[in-house]
Amino acid sequence: MITELNALRQDALRELGNIGLGSAVTALSDMTGVLFALEVPEVYELGTGRFSRVCHSPECLVVGTVARVEGDWTGEGAFIFPWESAVTLWQILAGSAPSDLSELNELYESVIREVSNIMLGSFLNGLSQMTGFTLHMEPPVFAADMAAALMSSLMVEALYGQRELLAIQTTFRVPEREFQGFFLYLPEVGSLEKLFQTLGI
Amino acid sequence: MAVAGKTEVLLAGMGEIKVARGAGVLGCIGLGSCVGTLLYDPHAGALAHVMLPEPHDDDALRMPGKYAVSAVPALLKELGLTPATASRLRAILIGGAEVFQNRESTLRIGERNVETLSRLLKELRISIAFSDTGGHRGRSFEFDLTTAELVIRVVGQPPQVHSLSRALGRMPIAV
């Protein structure tokens, strides 16, 4: 499918990821007082064999959220944080962090949900301003699990009812700290055409 | 295959099918809503990493292991059996969790995968020798055909080891 997207359209998706996540990361910086560096977004086909590396092993512990986006550009917005990065967020925003999975409680989960809520909300606002699209999201749901289980579940849900899956992925880091976050937007392929028409490409 | 006493694990990635004849270890990494579906014959095992209950188009022709409805017949074929001779097989089902909890718009894919597979196996009179499905945690597993030992890994817990020689109704393969 990605091969069917011409270079201009791929660039447009990357640029949307960049602008959308730029406002999302600004919102996260406002919350935490920490500056985040954004990497250039990747646009790729999320095939059954491919997970972009979110951590060193498919069985390493990650936390993440997913939220359904409805409106003119339907899809799933997801955030994934390796456990060590989530610990950094918890320490900044909650003042403490669980030492392992057994200590993970509702408070810590809600911190990650809230971060996702604000970031995805800003991402969608950025997109709305650029495209005039009406976009709204469901509350993010939380998961903590091995990376492969979380990624594959996310992928299967987004894949449901369509044959191929496109991912717009952006990585954000804190250069001097142990922090890496991943944002994925998995649009419904059918809704892409409307986006391209709106952008006139 | 045996390297320093350790057998290489044949891992079925998403939608894939892997087959081991004689000795061998079959496994899946990171099953969330997907279901590792292993059919066991005394001399062989065939494993599919099933992602969805059924296809919405002809995609099953491309990757039969991806969907429950195409994976089960494909596994039979790999083992050289027909529906008429399938009842000698034993099944192992692992996975089908809902990793993201409390979702409003949940599709219950894990649960539906397990339901569909169980129904298909029942129709073929294949009994399920062992299952560890549902719940909210992802799973990885390895099954050793030689020892009939199954190891399941869940994040944050020690690995669970199950000896299935009795459940599989036969002695482990003599090597």
Side-chain angles (χ1 to χ4, degrees), chain A residues 47-50 155 159 163, chain B residues 12-17 48-52 54-55 57-72 74:
Chain A
T48 47
R50 174 165 181 185
M155 190 176 145
L159 198 58
R163 184 166 172 162
Chain B
M14 293 178 81
E16 286 181 351
I17 289 178
H49 186 141
V50 172
M51 294 164 63
L52 288 162
E54 53 210 20
D57 59 13
D58 62 355
D59 194 35
L61 298 173
R62 199 173 53 123
M63 214 171 189
K66 196 166 160 184
Y67 305 99
V69 293
S70 50
V72 171

Side-chain angles (χ1 to χ4, degrees), chain A residues 65-71 75 77 79 113-125 134-141, chain B residues 104:
Chain A
T65 62
V66 61
R68 174 97 197 134
V69 175
E70 298 285 356
F79 289 91
R113 276 201 305 270
E114 194 50 24
V115 165
S116 309
N117 202 25
I118 290 172
M119 290 188 75
L120 184 59
S122 312
F123 175 82
L124 295 177
N125 267 339
T134 305
L135 299 164
H136 48 94
M137 58 184 273
E138 283 184 6
V141 289
Chain B
E104 256 175 60

Side-chain angles (χ1 to χ4, degrees), chain B residues 10 43 62 87 89 99 119:
Chain B
L10 289 169
H43 301 289
R62 199 173 53 123
S87 64
L89 294 171
V99 170
R119 175 176 57 76

Side-chain angles (χ1 to χ4, degrees), chain A residues 13-18 41-44 73 123 166-170 183-187 192 195:
Chain A
L13 290 178
R14 265 193 292 274
E15 192 52 24
L16 283 178
N18 212 13
E42 295 175 78
V43 176
Y44 61 93
W73 201 30
F123 175 82
L166 193 72
I168 302 164
Q169 178 178 321
T170 314
F183 170 70
L184 286 118
Y185 193 72
L186 311 172
L192 279 173
L195 175 74

Side-chain angles (χ1 to χ4, degrees), chain A residues 51-129:
Chain A
F51 295 124
S52 230
R53 329 140 305 274
V54 295
C55 64
H56 54 86
S57 135
E59 293 194 5
C60 74
L61 179 58
V62 301
V63 304
T65 62
V66 61
R68 174 97 197 134
V69 175
E70 298 285 356
D72 292 322
W73 201 30
T74 50
E76 309 266 350
F79 289 91
I80 296 169
F81 303 100
W83 179 262
E84 298 73 22
S85 300
V87 165
T88 303
L89 280 182
W90 284 319
Q91 280 165 347
I92 294 169
L93 293 168
S96 64
S99 58
D100 60 33
L101 198 56
S102 64
E103 287 183 16
L104 186 62
N105 59 26
E106 181 59 32
L107 169 78
Y108 295 123
E109 292 187 17
S110 70
V111 167
I112 301 294
R113 276 201 305 270
E114 194 50 24
V115 165
S116 309
N117 202 25
I118 290 172
M119 290 188 75
L120 184 59
S122 312
F123 175 82
L124 295 177
N125 267 339
L127 282 184
S128 288
Q129 282 171 16

Side-chain angles (χ1 to χ4, degrees), chain A residues 141-153:
Chain A
V141 289
F142 177 88
D145 214 315
M146 52 176 99
L150 197 141
M151 286 291 285
S152 63
S153 298

Side-chain angles (χ1 to χ4, degrees), chain A residues 59 76 144-145 157 160 163, chain B residues 103 112 137-138 140 153:
Chain A
E59 293 194 5
E76 309 266 350
D145 214 315
E157 289 231 354
Y160 187 79
R163 184 166 172 162
Chain B
R103 249 200 125 164
R112 285 167 48 213
R137 285 270 177 252
S140 293
R153 293 191 299 275

